[in-house]
Amino acid sequence: MAAAPSPSVPACSDLPAAVSAFADAFVDFAVSGIFFPTFPSSSSPPPRPKTPTTFLPSLSRLVAIGDLHGDLPKSLSALRLAGLVPPSCTPDSPSASSSWAAGPTLAVQLGDILDRGGDELRLLYLLRRLSLSAESRGGAFLPILGNHEVMNVSGDFRFATPQGFQEFSAWAGWYRAGLAIKRRCGEHLDPQPRNPFLGVPKSFPGVKPEFWDGMRSRLAALRPDGPIARRFLADLPTVLVVGDSVFVHGGLLEANVEYGLERINAEVSEWIRGEGGDNARAPEYVRGRDAVVWLRRFSDGFDCDCKRLEGVLGMIPGAKRMVMGHTIQTVGINAVCSAQAVRVDVGLSRGCGNGLPEVLEINAGGTDVRVITTPPSEAWMYRKQEVEKAAAAVAEKSVEVKDGLALLVRESHGLKEVGVKA
């Protein structure tokens, strides 16, 4: 029988909140190298809204950044280019990289943080910490959801990379360690820590066994109500209107506006929080070819249906332009339809084009719009890397190269979504 703790030694019953906070900070730092701010109970910040924000007034400076796809160094290049983080920030200095340097700027990231790269979790942590830093300094940093976030919450990992699976495997190890720390307090913790790995398959037919742990970890983290999905994705909007600019990953059609932009944001958020159950399908308006995160009608090519776009924008009071990601623009950020359709996905990630970083800047309430491009000295570095990559590809031209999950599975064509047991 265990002896009762000495009155001079604090027990878990006295410190459950502190133990839980320590465990969370321990996991955060182990995974990302970032400490999140802690607040005394008397000065706790207001909780993040349960339903994502849909409409915001524009600040004096508005910035848009396209798809990031798991590439931390290139993402930091874009953040530096926009002046959102200090010029000296690097992937090796995560604390400096998450320090807001842009004052009263509102920055929107157009989704697709996940897939195609190996820095997905580090990016999610960095962007959330940057968002908190921006709030404390009079600015705002707001990512929105892309089709790859929706795919991952649905258990569709076709575009995940081996490095991405390894990153989630490492996260799972640290997360389990954090759970073990919390369980030392037993019944004194309220709420009790939930084990996200319960009900998740341990084997995946068709996938090489060495990747099973990565698959299981990714599924536990990103399924509806998974700890990463709930913390980093559930409160992100699918559509965001800032002043006269509409931000959406794929695009909007008339039916989307009629259904209600706030309603779309609320329903997608509820799905990610698991309110429909672990295996609930994604809401209709983020599934399918014409879904708001999949649409390419206004972002693919230069012969767009401008009249239809004008009609869609006319349904949103005050809207003058739709800013989209999703479709890689090999010519860089550009606009069509009298600048009513602005396309900002430059294929930045090394796993998806390795394009030169560019960002869109909107000043003076929408009257001054410009593109900030990579300086020539930095552009030379990227072009040199592309030449070296092409030379390596020629040297290995006899080897079949597969992307994403195709690298891991024997027959991937039938692999769509992975379910979990309730």
Side-chain angles (χ1 to χ4, degrees), residues 173-208:
W174 291 116
Y175 194 85
R176 288 188 180 99
L179 282 177
I181 293 172
K182 292 181 180 182
R183 285 174 181 151
R184 300 285 293 180
C185 285
E187 72 279 4
H188 298 295
L189 277 181
D190 184 24
Q192 285 289 298
R194 175 175 174 266
N195 184 351
F197 304 95
L198 292 177
V200 180
K202 294 183 178 180
S203 61
F204 301 88
V207 178
K208 295 179 181 180

mmCIF file of all heavy atoms in Angstrom, residues 173-208:
data_model
loop_
_atom_site.group_PDB
_atom_site.id
_atom_site.type_symbol
_atom_site.label_atom_id
_atom_site.label_comp_id
_atom_site.label_asym_id
_atom_site.label_seq_id
_atom_site.Cartn_x
_atom_site.Cartn_y
_atom_site.Cartn_z
ATOM 1 N N GLY A 173 4.915 9.356 -30.864
ATOM 2 C CA GLY A 173 5.739 8.965 -29.732
ATOM 3 C C GLY A 173 5.733 10.016 -28.636
ATOM 4 O O GLY A 173 5.579 9.692 -27.447
ATOM 5 N N TRP A 174 5.874 11.275 -29.025
ATOM 6 C CA TRP A 174 5.866 12.348 -28.031
ATOM 7 C C TRP A 174 4.475 12.529 -27.424
ATOM 8 O O TRP A 174 4.344 12.808 -26.226
ATOM 9 C CB TRP A 174 6.341 13.661 -28.663
ATOM 10 C CG TRP A 174 7.790 13.666 -29.028
ATOM 11 C CD1 TRP A 174 8.317 13.764 -30.284
ATOM 12 C CD2 TRP A 174 8.904 13.575 -28.137
ATOM 13 N NE1 TRP A 174 9.684 13.723 -30.238
ATOM 14 C CE2 TRP A 174 10.078 13.614 -28.924
ATOM 15 C CE3 TRP A 174 9.032 13.449 -26.753
ATOM 16 C CZ2 TRP A 174 11.350 13.543 -28.374
ATOM 17 C CZ3 TRP A 174 10.301 13.379 -26.188
ATOM 18 C CH2 TRP A 174 11.437 13.423 -27.008
ATOM 19 N N TYR A 175 3.447 12.365 -28.247
ATOM 20 C CA TYR A 175 2.089 12.542 -27.729
ATOM 21 C C TYR A 175 1.768 11.471 -26.684
ATOM 22 O O TYR A 175 1.154 11.755 -25.659
ATOM 23 C CB TYR A 175 1.077 12.480 -28.877
ATOM 24 C CG TYR A 175 -0.291 12.983 -28.486
ATOM 25 C CD1 TYR A 175 -0.590 14.347 -28.541
ATOM 26 C CD2 TYR A 175 -1.280 12.115 -28.037
ATOM 27 C CE1 TYR A 175 -1.834 14.823 -28.163
ATOM 28 C CE2 TYR A 175 -2.526 12.576 -27.655
ATOM 29 C CZ TYR A 175 -2.798 13.936 -27.725
ATOM 30 O OH TYR A 175 -4.033 14.402 -27.344
ATOM 31 N N ARG A 176 2.195 10.227 -26.953
ATOM 32 C CA ARG A 176 1.991 9.165 -25.969
ATOM 33 C C ARG A 176 2.742 9.464 -24.665
ATOM 34 O O ARG A 176 2.255 9.177 -23.570
ATOM 35 C CB ARG A 176 2.450 7.824 -26.543
ATOM 36 C CG ARG A 176 1.537 7.263 -27.630
ATOM 37 C CD ARG A 176 1.945 5.848 -27.994
ATOM 38 N NE ARG A 176 1.092 5.290 -29.036
ATOM 39 C CZ ARG A 176 1.399 5.236 -30.324
ATOM 40 N NH1 ARG A 176 2.573 5.723 -30.747
ATOM 41 N NH2 ARG A 176 0.570 4.701 -31.200
ATOM 42 N N ALA A 177 3.938 10.056 -24.790
ATOM 43 C CA ALA A 177 4.692 10.429 -23.588
ATOM 44 C C ALA A 177 3.926 11.479 -22.788
ATOM 45 O O ALA A 177 3.871 11.428 -21.549
ATOM 46 C CB ALA A 177 6.076 10.947 -23.977
ATOM 47 N N GLY A 178 3.323 12.446 -23.497
ATOM 48 C CA GLY A 178 2.518 13.451 -22.812
ATOM 49 C C GLY A 178 1.312 12.850 -22.119
ATOM 50 O O GLY A 178 0.958 13.240 -20.986
ATOM 51 N N LEU A 179 0.660 11.878 -22.769
ATOM 52 C CA LEU A 179 -0.463 11.185 -22.133
ATOM 53 C C LEU A 179 -0.022 10.471 -20.859
ATOM 54 O O LEU A 179 -0.739 10.479 -19.842
ATOM 55 C CB LEU A 179 -1.067 10.169 -23.109
ATOM 56 C CG LEU A 179 -1.986 10.692 -24.219
ATOM 57 C CD1 LEU A 179 -2.426 9.540 -25.109
ATOM 58 C CD2 LEU A 179 -3.196 11.413 -23.633
ATOM 59 N N ALA A 180 1.152 9.847 -20.909
ATOM 60 C CA ALA A 180 1.650 9.129 -19.736
ATOM 61 C C ALA A 180 1.873 10.090 -18.570
ATOM 62 O O ALA A 180 1.589 9.762 -17.405
ATOM 63 C CB ALA A 180 2.946 8.395 -20.084
ATOM 64 N N ILE A 181 2.379 11.297 -18.860
ATOM 65 C CA ILE A 181 2.583 12.289 -17.801
ATOM 66 C C ILE A 181 1.238 12.676 -17.187
ATOM 67 O O ILE A 181 1.069 12.739 -15.960
ATOM 68 C CB ILE A 181 3.302 13.536 -18.364
ATOM 69 C CG1 ILE A 181 4.732 13.179 -18.785
ATOM 70 C CG2 ILE A 181 3.307 14.662 -17.336
ATOM 71 C CD1 ILE A 181 5.451 14.295 -19.522
ATOM 72 N N LYS A 182 0.254 12.925 -18.036
ATOM 73 C CA LYS A 182 -1.061 13.348 -17.537
ATOM 74 C C LYS A 182 -1.722 12.250 -16.707
ATOM 75 O O LYS A 182 -2.399 12.527 -15.710
ATOM 76 C CB LYS A 182 -1.963 13.730 -18.708
ATOM 77 C CG LYS A 182 -1.533 14.992 -19.434
ATOM 78 C CD LYS A 182 -2.493 15.330 -20.573
ATOM 79 C CE LYS A 182 -2.060 16.601 -21.300
ATOM 80 N NZ LYS A 182 -3.008 16.969 -22.374
ATOM 81 N N ARG A 183 -1.521 11.007 -17.116
ATOM 82 C CA ARG A 183 -2.167 9.908 -16.400
ATOM 83 C C ARG A 183 -1.606 9.710 -15.003
ATOM 84 O O ARG A 183 -2.204 9.022 -14.179
ATOM 85 C CB ARG A 183 -2.035 8.623 -17.209
ATOM 86 C CG ARG A 183 -2.989 8.604 -18.414
ATOM 87 C CD ARG A 183 -2.748 7.406 -19.285
ATOM 88 N NE ARG A 183 -3.638 7.408 -20.427
ATOM 89 C CZ ARG A 183 -3.355 6.860 -21.594
ATOM 90 N NH1 ARG A 183 -2.180 6.265 -21.777
ATOM 91 N NH2 ARG A 183 -4.226 6.896 -22.583
ATOM 92 N N ARG A 184 -0.460 10.316 -14.716
ATOM 93 C CA ARG A 184 0.079 10.243 -13.352
ATOM 94 C C ARG A 184 -0.873 10.925 -12.374
ATOM 95 O O ARG A 184 -0.828 10.665 -11.179
ATOM 96 C CB ARG A 184 1.450 10.922 -13.289
ATOM 97 C CG ARG A 184 2.511 10.312 -14.192
ATOM 98 C CD ARG A 184 3.033 9.002 -13.663
ATOM 99 N NE ARG A 184 3.787 9.180 -12.432
ATOM 100 C CZ ARG A 184 4.359 8.189 -11.768
ATOM 101 N NH1 ARG A 184 4.235 6.938 -12.221
ATOM 102 N NH2 ARG A 184 5.036 8.419 -10.669
ATOM 103 N N CYS A 185 -1.704 11.826 -12.902
ATOM 104 C CA CYS A 185 -2.658 12.528 -12.034
ATOM 105 C C CYS A 185 -3.994 11.813 -11.936
ATOM 106 O O CYS A 185 -4.891 12.276 -11.224
ATOM 107 C CB CYS A 185 -2.880 13.957 -12.545
ATOM 108 S SG CYS A 185 -1.491 15.032 -12.180
ATOM 109 N N GLY A 186 -4.163 10.734 -12.687
ATOM 110 C CA GLY A 186 -5.368 9.925 -12.580
ATOM 111 C C GLY A 186 -6.646 10.718 -12.685
ATOM 112 O O GLY A 186 -6.832 11.540 -13.579
ATOM 113 N N GLU A 187 -7.537 10.506 -11.700
ATOM 114 C CA GLU A 187 -8.872 11.093 -11.763
ATOM 115 C C GLU A 187 -8.885 12.581 -11.464
ATOM 116 O O GLU A 187 -9.928 13.237 -11.582
ATOM 117 C CB GLU A 187 -9.806 10.368 -10.775
ATOM 118 C CG GLU A 187 -9.556 10.658 -9.299
ATOM 119 C CD GLU A 187 -8.411 9.834 -8.726
ATOM 120 O OE1 GLU A 187 -7.767 9.086 -9.498
ATOM 121 O OE2 GLU A 187 -8.159 9.926 -7.513
ATOM 122 N N HIS A 188 -7.743 13.154 -11.082
ATOM 123 C CA HIS A 188 -7.730 14.569 -10.719
ATOM 124 C C HIS A 188 -7.778 15.483 -11.940
ATOM 125 O O HIS A 188 -8.039 16.679 -11.806
ATOM 126 C CB HIS A 188 -6.483 14.887 -9.890
ATOM 127 C CG HIS A 188 -6.416 14.138 -8.594
ATOM 128 N ND1 HIS A 188 -7.336 14.324 -7.577
ATOM 129 C CD2 HIS A 188 -5.555 13.175 -8.155
ATOM 130 C CE1 HIS A 188 -7.040 13.526 -6.565
ATOM 131 N NE2 HIS A 188 -5.964 12.815 -6.891
ATOM 132 N N LEU A 189 -7.506 14.947 -13.126
ATOM 133 C CA LEU A 189 -7.551 15.777 -14.329
ATOM 134 C C LEU A 189 -8.976 15.872 -14.839
ATOM 135 O O LEU A 189 -9.686 14.879 -14.942
ATOM 136 C CB LEU A 189 -6.662 15.189 -15.422
ATOM 137 C CG LEU A 189 -5.175 15.517 -15.357
ATOM 138 C CD1 LEU A 189 -4.456 14.874 -16.531
ATOM 139 C CD2 LEU A 189 -4.936 17.020 -15.360
ATOM 140 N N ASP A 190 -9.400 17.070 -15.176
ATOM 141 C CA ASP A 190 -10.731 17.296 -15.732
ATOM 142 C C ASP A 190 -10.606 18.313 -16.868
ATOM 143 O O ASP A 190 -10.244 19.464 -16.640
ATOM 144 C CB ASP A 190 -11.675 17.814 -14.650
ATOM 145 C CG ASP A 190 -13.105 17.964 -15.161
ATOM 146 O OD1 ASP A 190 -13.450 17.273 -16.144
ATOM 147 O OD2 ASP A 190 -13.847 18.769 -14.576
ATOM 148 N N PRO A 191 -10.865 17.916 -18.121
ATOM 149 C CA PRO A 191 -11.353 16.590 -18.510
ATOM 150 C C PRO A 191 -10.225 15.560 -18.552
ATOM 151 O O PRO A 191 -9.050 15.916 -18.601
ATOM 152 C CB PRO A 191 -11.905 16.834 -19.920
ATOM 153 C CG PRO A 191 -11.049 17.938 -20.452
ATOM 154 C CD PRO A 191 -10.755 18.839 -19.278
ATOM 155 N N GLN A 192 -10.616 14.309 -18.545
ATOM 156 C CA GLN A 192 -9.650 13.226 -18.641
ATOM 157 C C GLN A 192 -9.017 13.217 -20.040
ATOM 158 O O GLN A 192 -9.704 13.439 -21.036
ATOM 159 C CB GLN A 192 -10.330 11.880 -18.387
ATOM 160 C CG GLN A 192 -10.654 11.640 -16.916
ATOM 161 C CD GLN A 192 -9.391 11.395 -16.101
ATOM 162 O OE1 GLN A 192 -8.668 10.437 -16.340
ATOM 163 N NE2 GLN A 192 -9.126 12.276 -15.137
ATOM 164 N N PRO A 193 -7.695 12.967 -20.143
ATOM 165 C CA PRO A 193 -7.059 12.938 -21.467
ATOM 166 C C PRO A 193 -7.619 11.793 -22.310
ATOM 167 O O PRO A 193 -7.808 10.678 -21.819
ATOM 168 C CB PRO A 193 -5.576 12.736 -21.142
ATOM 169 C CG PRO A 193 -5.548 12.160 -19.764
ATOM 170 C CD PRO A 193 -6.732 12.716 -19.053
ATOM 171 N N ARG A 194 -7.895 12.097 -23.559
ATOM 172 C CA ARG A 194 -8.461 11.100 -24.473
ATOM 173 C C ARG A 194 -7.340 10.473 -25.289
ATOM 174 O O ARG A 194 -6.439 11.163 -25.754
ATOM 175 C CB ARG A 194 -9.460 11.785 -25.404
ATOM 176 C CG ARG A 194 -10.056 10.907 -26.499
ATOM 177 C CD ARG A 194 -11.113 11.687 -27.272
ATOM 178 N NE ARG A 194 -11.611 10.932 -28.412
ATOM 179 C CZ ARG A 194 -11.137 11.041 -29.639
ATOM 180 N NH1 ARG A 194 -10.130 11.877 -29.885
ATOM 181 N NH2 ARG A 194 -11.646 10.337 -30.628
ATOM 182 N N ASN A 195 -7.401 9.161 -25.465
ATOM 183 C CA ASN A 195 -6.400 8.457 -26.263
ATOM 184 C C ASN A 195 -6.866 8.427 -27.720
ATOM 185 O O ASN A 195 -7.793 7.689 -28.066
ATOM 186 C CB ASN A 195 -6.216 7.038 -25.743
ATOM 187 C CG ASN A 195 -5.105 6.293 -26.477
ATOM 188 O OD1 ASN A 195 -4.580 6.769 -27.484
ATOM 189 N ND2 ASN A 195 -4.745 5.123 -25.983
ATOM 190 N N PRO A 196 -6.245 9.201 -28.617
ATOM 191 C CA PRO A 196 -6.723 9.277 -30.000
ATOM 192 C C PRO A 196 -6.408 8.037 -30.823
ATOM 193 O O PRO A 196 -6.892 7.901 -31.951
ATOM 194 C CB PRO A 196 -5.978 10.496 -30.554
ATOM 195 C CG PRO A 196 -4.699 10.530 -29.784
ATOM 196 C CD PRO A 196 -5.063 10.063 -28.395
ATOM 197 N N PHE A 197 -5.583 7.131 -30.274
ATOM 198 C CA PHE A 197 -5.190 5.943 -31.033
ATOM 199 C C PHE A 197 -6.194 4.793 -30.888
ATOM 200 O O PHE A 197 -6.113 3.823 -31.630
ATOM 201 C CB PHE A 197 -3.798 5.486 -30.590
ATOM 202 C CG PHE A 197 -2.756 6.556 -30.717
ATOM 203 C CD1 PHE A 197 -2.419 7.354 -29.631
ATOM 204 C CD2 PHE A 197 -2.136 6.790 -31.935
ATOM 205 C CE1 PHE A 197 -1.474 8.364 -29.755
ATOM 206 C CE2 PHE A 197 -1.186 7.795 -32.059
ATOM 207 C CZ PHE A 197 -0.861 8.580 -30.976
ATOM 208 N N LEU A 198 -7.140 4.931 -29.959
ATOM 209 C CA LEU A 198 -8.136 3.883 -29.766
ATOM 210 C C LEU A 198 -9.027 3.781 -31.008
ATOM 211 O O LEU A 198 -9.540 4.787 -31.503
ATOM 212 C CB LEU A 198 -8.997 4.184 -28.540
ATOM 213 C CG LEU A 198 -8.294 4.120 -27.177
ATOM 214 C CD1 LEU A 198 -9.253 4.518 -26.069
ATOM 215 C CD2 LEU A 198 -7.728 2.728 -26.932
ATOM 216 N N GLY A 199 -9.213 2.562 -31.488
ATOM 217 C CA GLY A 199 -10.067 2.343 -32.637
ATOM 218 C C GLY A 199 -9.395 2.539 -33.975
ATOM 219 O O GLY A 199 -10.017 2.312 -35.024
ATOM 220 N N VAL A 200 -8.131 2.978 -33.988
ATOM 221 C CA VAL A 200 -7.416 3.200 -35.247
ATOM 222 C C VAL A 200 -6.761 1.889 -35.679
ATOM 223 O O VAL A 200 -6.100 1.228 -34.866
ATOM 224 C CB VAL A 200 -6.345 4.306 -35.081
ATOM 225 C CG1 VAL A 200 -5.603 4.519 -36.392
ATOM 226 C CG2 VAL A 200 -6.991 5.602 -34.633
ATOM 227 N N PRO A 201 -6.910 1.483 -36.927
ATOM 228 C CA PRO A 201 -6.306 0.218 -37.379
ATOM 229 C C PRO A 201 -4.806 0.192 -37.135
ATOM 230 O O PRO A 201 -4.125 1.224 -37.186
ATOM 231 C CB PRO A 201 -6.624 0.187 -38.878
ATOM 232 C CG PRO A 201 -7.797 1.086 -39.047
ATOM 233 C CD PRO A 201 -7.664 2.148 -38.009
ATOM 234 N N LYS A 202 -4.288 -1.008 -36.879
ATOM 235 C CA LYS A 202 -2.849 -1.178 -36.681
ATOM 236 C C LYS A 202 -2.149 -1.717 -37.921
ATOM 237 O O LYS A 202 -0.916 -1.719 -37.987
ATOM 238 C CB LYS A 202 -2.597 -2.112 -35.497
ATOM 239 C CG LYS A 202 -3.058 -1.541 -34.166
ATOM 240 C CD LYS A 202 -2.720 -2.466 -33.004
ATOM 241 C CE LYS A 202 -3.154 -1.862 -31.676
ATOM 242 N NZ LYS A 202 -2.825 -2.743 -30.528
ATOM 243 N N SER A 203 -2.918 -2.189 -38.888
ATOM 244 C CA SER A 203 -2.337 -2.689 -40.131
ATOM 245 C C SER A 203 -3.146 -2.142 -41.302
ATOM 246 O O SER A 203 -4.342 -1.851 -41.168
ATOM 247 C CB SER A 203 -2.329 -4.218 -40.161
ATOM 248 O OG SER A 203 -3.655 -4.717 -40.085
ATOM 249 N N PHE A 204 -2.478 -1.997 -42.441
ATOM 250 C CA PHE A 204 -3.097 -1.398 -43.616
ATOM 251 C C PHE A 204 -2.741 -2.234 -44.837
ATOM 252 O O PHE A 204 -1.652 -2.072 -45.416
ATOM 253 C CB PHE A 204 -2.609 0.051 -43.789
ATOM 254 C CG PHE A 204 -2.933 0.916 -42.602
ATOM 255 C CD1 PHE A 204 -2.051 1.001 -41.525
ATOM 256 C CD2 PHE A 204 -4.108 1.632 -42.538
ATOM 257 C CE1 PHE A 204 -2.343 1.785 -40.417
ATOM 258 C CE2 PHE A 204 -4.417 2.422 -41.439
ATOM 259 C CZ PHE A 204 -3.528 2.495 -40.370
ATOM 260 N N PRO A 205 -3.608 -3.166 -45.229
ATOM 261 C CA PRO A 205 -3.330 -4.031 -46.376
ATOM 262 C C PRO A 205 -2.992 -3.225 -47.618
ATOM 263 O O PRO A 205 -3.645 -2.229 -47.932
ATOM 264 C CB PRO A 205 -4.643 -4.801 -46.549
ATOM 265 C CG PRO A 205 -5.268 -4.780 -45.198
ATOM 266 C CD PRO A 205 -4.898 -3.463 -44.598
ATOM 267 N N GLY A 206 -1.924 -3.646 -48.315
ATOM 268 C CA GLY A 206 -1.481 -2.934 -49.504
ATOM 269 C C GLY A 206 -0.382 -1.935 -49.254
ATOM 270 O O GLY A 206 0.276 -1.490 -50.187
ATOM 271 N N VAL A 207 -0.202 -1.555 -47.977
ATOM 272 C CA VAL A 207 0.851 -0.602 -47.615
ATOM 273 C C VAL A 207 2.013 -1.374 -47.006
ATOM 274 O O VAL A 207 1.819 -2.311 -46.232
ATOM 275 C CB VAL A 207 0.327 0.442 -46.606
ATOM 276 C CG1 VAL A 207 1.437 1.402 -46.189
ATOM 277 C CG2 VAL A 207 -0.844 1.212 -47.195
ATOM 278 N N LYS A 208 3.224 -1.012 -47.355
ATOM 279 C CA LYS A 208 4.396 -1.683 -46.799
ATOM 280 C C LYS A 208 4.383 -1.567 -45.276
ATOM 281 O O LYS A 208 4.142 -0.487 -44.728
ATOM 282 C CB LYS A 208 5.677 -1.056 -47.358
ATOM 283 C CG LYS A 208 5.854 -1.257 -48.862
ATOM 284 C CD LYS A 208 7.123 -0.588 -49.354
ATOM 285 C CE LYS A 208 7.287 -0.767 -50.867
ATOM 286 N NZ LYS A 208 8.516 -0.115 -51.373
#
